[in-house]
Amino acid sequence: MKAKNGRFYTDSPPLSQNIWLGSWQLLFWLFFHPSAWRSAVREIDPLLPPDFCLAGVPDRLRRRWDFWRLILLSYLAWPLLAVVIVILSLRALGTPVEGMVLGGMIGLSAGVVASLMTSVIGSLAVGTAVGMAVSLVTGIAGGLLLSASALFTPAPADISFDLLASAVIGLASGLAGGLAYGVAAGISGRAGGAEPAASIIRQISGAITGIVIGMVAGWLTGLAAGQWAAGLAIGAPFALALGLRTQNWRRGLIGGLIAGLLGSLSAGLTDSSGGGLWGLIGFSAMLLSLFALPYVLAERITGPWAGGLAGALGAGGGLFFFVAASDSYWPLLSFSLIGVLLGFTLVWWRPVIAYPLLMAWNMLLLRWDERRLGDGRSSLLHRHSVFWDEFQRLPLINLDTHLLLVLSRDPAAGQAAMEYVSGSRQRWAAQAAQIELDARQLARCDDVQAISQADKLLAAGELTGPTSALLRSFSRISQDVAAAQRQESAYNQRLALSAVEDRLNGLVRELTRSDEPYADRFRPIADAWRRVVGAQTLTLAAEAELRQEIDSPYIIGVPLTQQQEIFVGRSDISARIEQLLLDRRQPPLLLYGQRRVGKTSLLQNLGRLLPNAIVPLFVDLQGPASRARDDAGFLYNVARAAVRSARQQRRLALPEIDRAALQADPFTCFDEWLDEVEMALDGRSALLMLDEFEVLDSALTQNRFDSEAVLGMLRHLIQHRPRFKALLSGSHTLDEFQRWASYLINVQVIRIGYLKEAEARQLIESPVAHFTLRYEPAASQRALDLTRGHPFLVQLLCAEVVALKNEQPPSARRLAAVADVETAVTLALDHGSFFFADIEQNQVDTVGREILRFIASYDEGQGAPRQALVDFVPSLLALEQALAALQQRELIEPVGDGYRFQVELVRRWFAERP
């Protein structure tokens, strides 16, 4: 976030250096933006809690001016505001000037006493709220009462002093307690929706403890008779609360004595004058004494927000017992209830009442910005209520429009505002603005290159709901277009783009039928993308025809899917798999073969090789499943891959798994999901195919998953779920992983190796229908000799032949000779270096690597005599172990009395290595 924008769009705005403006800022923050209050306190000292009390402040802060400045600012604005409201209210009620003056004095005095006592023992923030509530109620009531009576004397007979006093006591106590709760909840973060740190049991116990203590204290206070007894009833709870809050009992005793003396003095002056100002001050002291002890106890058990709750209810309960014997307790209860409801629900009713004003203000800002930003001036968005009213739950209409306006004219300010709104109650507006931004960016993609880059611009992962799924669809389409662009041949580009066009057709149809809110917005975009991709497909076809270019169908380095016509052969292996799946013993299967030999391609094509009664569930363990952090993540990704595979291979909709339930009890939830899958199979069998199982073994070794639970689940599935069959795929046998072998008994190994000669010849000469390149018989045979039918190497070599022929004149382009194949070998070794380097660096050890280089020094087809190898490797044991490992890897084979490479291209790689 830019510095200039950080001043506006933040929960840490700077506190004004002007003493009056700063005081109004703090008061405003307490009731509208408590996050800013917390930030102001943290700036003074990061260790100072936002609900600090004056009595518990560390000595190091008592010597700092910035701390005392905060205290001063906290006591400037609200007394002035309270007095002004009291005087204006009394004037509106027709009170004489003397009554207004006296009401202001009473409200100010009672409020300051209440605020100071609460600030000393509770917190400075809560003291502000309590002081305002007491000041307003006592000031207005006192002004009305005293204006109708002789100065500081009892009211005449036609005015019920007890009734008015009860109403004042009840309303003041309820409103003070309610506001205390609201402010405490706000500064603790609870009102903003944050979860409390304490458990629900501690929350309830803390509140109940505070309420009971308040009632007991009120009952004892009610028993007090006389001036000194009243002082004791006020001072004792205050002393106890202050001692508990500060853990300093001497400080608590001194504070209790002061509160008690104040209570005694107030009681004595009340007796002599009949009430008036001193009576209300004494009441304020008693009220805050009843509030303090429940607040402190609950705050220590749970937190400041629970302290405010317990203090409010405890004070109310205490006042009930205090006046229970009086005829005026019903008015007190009634007005207490009114005050409590007003205070406790402030964060609900205040935003509703203020909503029309806020909407008018925000609309005015939007209209101003439409003109200002057009003239190049800075935005007024930072004055929008979303940035200073933390409690507004109602949606602020047109906020998304305002965000979009600023984003289009001032991106830095707009992005800073978006970041703030995303974390607020108005997150919907940031999401709506982001969705519209994404839609505009997608709509600007008017060519294939722009579509391929669109994935980097989308924010699908930051959204929730149907729109997130829709944007993920566009993201995947963008990724598919980028993958098509990376294809080396125009033919494969056209093939991939045709698949993308089909997906876009489906998306357009889906959006046409959908009644989701954003369907109409994104349907034209999907249709435009479809036209762009279709036009690019036609352009590639026209260019290929114009140049008489040979389309290369060969795909290097990635598995072949069902949509790719080039997959050939493997019918014997699929038949063997089908036979074993019908075995009533239900043995687990292991598809074993060297890397790049076509295991994954076979698994992804089993759907068209096996009967429809078998539903392939392909899980790539190199993907998210084995990269998950825990068992729940692993099982979730396995289930998700299985659902996707069933949909792709059999158009079968399997039930989704509940990710939240997985977190609570992963394996039970997964087992229940398997029950649901069995029902969805409707009599068919499921083949769970775990590709690259070695990757999962590595994750188990790292203890990211519970190996006993994972492998036990797999064994249980094989043994007790007849509808499920299991097939592992990898370049290792289970004998190399004892952990797996002990769980999976009687594994049937299915070896996959080179293509049969007829299959390899088909891949060379007729990989797809209407393939325009023809081979001389000798050239085709030469390709077979060089690759031995290894599917990856056949595709690698033939792709280079096609690329080579496309560089030749059209007259010689369509027929491949032996010389073309030989020329392509060097290019194949270069472009396929990752395959050969993997053999050299990862599949053999040092001794094996030296043996391969030694054998490669012999000519094609010749073997290195065994005696020569014995002379080359000093240790006979090391030689035997290395030769066995190289044969296991299908790199060499015995010939006569020696050994040679199985594949000539592999020999040439090692022969050319230094």
Side-chain angles (χ1 to χ4, degrees):
M1 184 183 297
K2 301 291 186 183
K4 65 176 184 179
N5 296 321
R7 188 175 71 248
F8 299 139
Y9 310 113
T10 178
D11 284 327
S12 304
L15 184 62
S16 175
Q17 294 301 309
N18 182 285
I19 192 168
W20 284 105
L21 289 179
S23 182
W24 287 108
Q25 265 186 298
L26 285 178
L27 180 63
F28 181 85
W29 287 348
L30 275 179
F31 290 97
F32 289 87
H33 200 178
S35 297
W37 168 275
R38 294 196 296 270
S39 174
V41 174
R42 279 196 306 270
E43 282 199 13
I44 295 176
D45 190 331
L47 300 179
L48 186 64
D51 61 319
F52 71 92
C53 67
L54 298 182
V57 173
D59 291 338
R60 69 176 187 279
L61 293 179
R62 299 178 190 276
R63 296 186 293 270
R64 288 177 51 177
W65 161 243
D66 56 349
F67 170 74
W68 288 110
R69 182 174 182 271
L70 180 71
I71 306 302
L72 175 64
L73 294 180
S74 300
Y75 276 92
L76 283 181
W78 75 260
L80 177 61
L81 178 63
V83 169
V84 170
I85 293 176
V86 167
I87 292 175
L88 292 177
S89 300
L90 290 173
R91 179 171 182 177
L93 294 172
T95 308
V97 174
E98 309 88 69
M100 289 188 289
V101 172
L102 292 173
M105 293 174 58
I106 291 172
L108 180 63
S109 303
V112 169
V113 169
S115 177
L116 284 173
M117 291 183 67
T118 308
S119 299
V120 167
I121 201 168
S123 80
L124 178 64
V126 172
T128 301
V130 169
M132 284 195 66
V134 171
S135 181
L136 291 174
V137 177
T138 56
I140 294 173
L144 288 173
L145 175 66
L146 296 177
S147 65
S149 64
L151 190 62
F152 297 102
T153 61
D158 58 339
I159 293 186
S160 174
F161 186 89
D162 288 342
L163 177 63
L164 186 57
S166 295
V168 170
I169 292 172
L171 190 59
S173 62
L175 188 60
L179 289 180
Y181 167 75
V183 169
I187 62 172
S188 66
R190 176 62 177 159
E195 290 297 326
S199 66
I200 187 66
I201 295 177
R202 289 185 62 191
Q203 297 170 43
I204 296 174
S205 63
I208 292 177
T209 300
I211 294 169
V212 171
I213 293 296
M215 290 181 175
V216 172
W219 176 68
L220 293 176
T221 305
L223 295 178
Q227 178 178 354
W228 298 111
L232 179 63
I234 293 174
F238 191 84
L240 181 59
L242 184 58
L244 287 172
R245 187 77 161 96
T246 63
Q247 295 296 301
N248 187 323
W249 295 104
R250 179 183 298 177
R251 190 175 295 174
L253 180 60
I254 295 173
L257 288 174
I258 295 175
L261 289 174
L262 180 62
S264 298
L265 179 62
S266 299
L269 293 174
T270 299
D271 290 339
S272 63
S273 65
L277 175 63
W278 288 107
L280 289 173
I281 292 176
F283 154 71
S284 299
M286 182 195 69
L287 171 67
L288 269 300
S289 180
L290 293 177
F291 174 89
L293 191 54
Y295 177 91
V296 171
L297 287 171
E299 192 274 341
R300 286 177 62 84
I301 295 174
T302 305
W305 69 272
L309 174 65
L313 298 179
L319 286 172
F320 171 73
F321 278 94
F322 174 68
V323 298
S326 169
D327 293 336
S328 59
Y329 73 90
W330 282 114
L332 180 141
L333 286 180
S334 302
F335 281 94
S336 291
L337 180 60
I338 294 173
V340 166
L341 290 176
L342 286 175
F344 273 65
T345 60
L346 176 67
V347 295
W348 284 280
W349 59 261
R350 194 273 300 163
V352 174
I353 292 177
Y355 188 74
L357 296 176
L358 293 180
M359 290 306 303
W361 168 251
N362 294 334
M363 182 59 69
L364 187 62
L365 289 177
L366 176 59
R367 297 293 173 253
W368 281 345
D369 260 3
E370 289 173 345
R371 292 195 296 268
R372 289 172 60 88
L373 292 173
D375 298 336
R377 289 181 288 175
S378 60
S379 168
L380 296 174
L381 177 60
H382 60 278
R383 300 188 185 278
H384 195 286
S385 65
V386 71
F387 302 107
W388 48 261
D389 188 356
E390 203 169 316
F391 300 104
Q392 183 56 260
R393 289 178 169 84
L394 299 176
L396 299 173
I397 300 172
N398 288 326
L399 174 57
D400 53 337
T401 304
H402 206 160
L403 288 170
L404 284 168
L405 175 66
V406 177
L407 281 164
S408 63
R409 306 291 179 84
D410 187 355
Q415 194 57 46
M418 285 277 286
E419 291 177 10
Y420 181 90
V421 176
S422 295
S424 73
R425 295 179 185 272
Q426 305 295 326
R427 185 169 181 262
W428 70 267
Q431 288 194 343
Q434 185 62 62
I435 290 170
E436 178 58 27
L437 279 179
D438 289 338
R440 293 179 183 181
Q441 290 172 334
L442 296 178
R444 286 194 291 267
C445 296
D446 53 2
D447 58 33
V448 173
Q449 184 61 32
I451 291 175
S452 68
Q453 299 296 318
D455 171 61
K456 302 179 178 63
L457 306 175
L458 295 178
E462 303 170 10
L463 304 174
T464 57
T467 310
S468 177
L470 178 58
L471 289 176
R472 280 196 294 270
S473 295
F474 278 100
S475 177
R476 287 192 294 268
I477 289 170
S478 172
Q479 294 170 7
D480 290 344
V481 172
Q485 294 287 87
R486 291 193 295 270
Q487 294 294 326
E488 295 186 1
S489 71
Y491 174 82
N492 283 331
Q493 286 187 23
R494 294 208 310 272
L495 190 67
L497 289 176
S498 295
V500 171
E501 188 178 4
D502 291 340
R503 288 187 59 189
L504 284 167
N505 271 321
L507 182 59
V508 170
R509 290 194 299 269
E510 181 183 339
L511 291 174
T512 301
R513 295 190 299 265
S514 175
D515 57 356
E516 294 293 342
Y518 289 99
D520 291 339
R521 180 67 180 92
F522 285 94
R523 184 174 57 251
I525 299 172
D527 191 51
W529 278 28
R530 178 183 59 180
R531 292 194 299 271
V532 169
V533 171
Q536 179 66 12
T537 304
L538 294 175
T539 299
L540 290 173
E543 290 177 354
E545 183 64 27
L546 181 64
R547 295 193 304 267
Q548 296 185 10
E549 183 178 291
I550 302 170
D551 289 330
S552 176
Y554 299 106
I555 298 174
I556 312 301
V558 295
L560 304 179
T561 65
Q562 278 188 306
Q563 289 73 35
Q564 291 160 328
E565 185 184 350
I566 195 174
F567 181 83
V568 298
R570 306 305 193 188
S571 57
D572 57 330
I573 299 176
S574 64
R576 175 61 175 160
I577 292 175
E578 182 179 354
Q579 178 188 7
L580 290 171
L581 292 178
L582 297 175
D583 191 331
R584 56 184 177 83
R585 294 173 299 174
Q586 302 233 165
L589 309 181
L590 172 63
L591 182 64
Y592 168 76
Q594 298 306 311
R595 296 179 184 176
R596 305 285 181 181
V597 82
K599 298 185 297 297
T600 303
S601 296
L602 173 62
L603 296 182
Q604 292 192 348
N605 281 271
L606 273 180
R608 62 185 184 185
L609 298 175
L610 294 176
N612 285 330
I614 299 175
V615 179
L617 305 179
F618 175 78
V619 180
D620 182 5
L621 293 179
Q622 285 187 320
S626 292
R627 293 200 298 268
R629 291 179 298 180
D630 53 23
D631 294 335
F634 167 73
L635 296 174
Y636 172 76
N637 284 296
V638 168
R640 190 170 63 133
V643 170
R644 182 170 58 249
S645 178
R647 183 172 59 249
Q648 293 173 349
Q649 303 240 22
R650 290 287 184 262
R651 298 187 181 277
L652 175 64
L654 295 182
E656 302 284 347
I657 196 166
D658 187 342
R659 188 169 191 177
L662 272 174
Q663 294 295 333
D665 191 353
F667 291 97
T668 299
C669 179
F670 188 77
D671 195 61
E672 293 172 348
W673 175 78
L674 291 176
D675 292 337
E676 297 176 11
V677 171
E678 283 189 337
M679 294 179 62
L681 290 173
D682 194 22
R684 289 181 282 187
S685 296
L687 177 60
L688 180 62
M689 303 179 295
L690 303 178
D691 192 25
E692 303 289 353
F693 77 93
E694 300 96 336
V695 180
L696 176 56
D697 185 81
S698 176
L700 295 177
T701 302
Q702 297 169 15
N703 293 322
R704 278 194 284 121
F705 311 139
D706 185 335
S707 60
E708 291 186 6
V710 170
L711 297 179
M713 176 271 298
L714 186 57
R715 179 174 62 184
H716 184 272
L717 181 146
I718 294 169
Q719 294 179 348
H720 301 287
R721 290 189 178 271
R723 291 293 177 191
F724 282 89
K725 322 293 182 180
L727 184 151
L728 307 180
S729 173
S731 55
H732 296 78
T733 64
L734 291 189
D735 293 338
E736 300 176 65
F737 298 95
Q738 290 301 316
R739 177 182 11 228
W740 290 74
S742 62
Y743 279 91
L744 305 181
I745 310 300
N746 195 29
V747 172
Q748 297 295 306
V749 178
I750 305 170
R751 290 182 175 270
I752 179 172
Y754 308 127
L755 294 171
K756 295 180 179 180
E757 182 176 340
E759 296 170 343
R761 195 176 295 277
Q762 178 186 343
L763 186 56
I764 295 169
E765 298 176 353
S766 303
V768 292
H770 311 297
F771 187 53
T772 57
L773 177 62
R774 293 179 294 110
Y775 280 79
E776 293 179 349
S780 177
Q781 184 61 47
R782 186 57 182 151
L784 281 173
D785 294 340
L786 289 166
T787 62
R788 197 170 177 171
H790 191 296
F792 172 80
L793 295 178
V794 170
Q795 292 208 71
L796 175 65
L797 181 60
C798 290
E800 297 301 333
V801 171
V802 172
L804 180 66
K805 298 302 291 183
N806 279 329
E807 296 176 359
Q808 296 176 358
S811 59
R813 182 171 295 171
R814 299 298 175 94
L815 182 63
V818 173
D820 296 318
V821 176
E822 290 291 353
T823 304
V825 168
T826 302
L827 299 172
L829 293 176
D830 183 39
H831 290 167
S833 59
F834 64 92
F835 170 81
F836 302 106
D838 180 68
I839 296 175
E840 182 181 25
Q841 297 170 11
N842 301 322
Q843 299 187 33
V844 298
D845 58 15
T846 303
V847 176
R849 190 179 306 119
E850 294 303 320
I851 290 175
L852 289 176
R853 289 174 180 167
F854 180 78
I855 298 176
S857 65
Y858 289 81
D859 292 336
E860 179 179 350
Q862 293 184 358
R866 179 176 177 82
Q867 187 57 47
L869 289 169
V870 171
D871 296 338
F872 180 72
V873 180
S875 171
L876 183 59
L877 177 60
L879 174 64
E880 294 295 343
Q881 291 176 341
L883 290 174
L886 294 174
Q887 290 179 83
Q888 174 72 18
R889 290 288 178 190
E890 297 182 352
L891 294 172
I892 64 173
E893 62 185 358
V895 55
D897 65 341
Y899 296 89
R900 69 180 180 187
F901 277 86
Q902 289 194 12
V903 180
E904 172 60 15
L905 278 182
V906 179
R907 187 198 69 81
R908 292 200 182 187
W909 164 268
F910 280 94
E912 294 179 5
R913 301 295 289 173

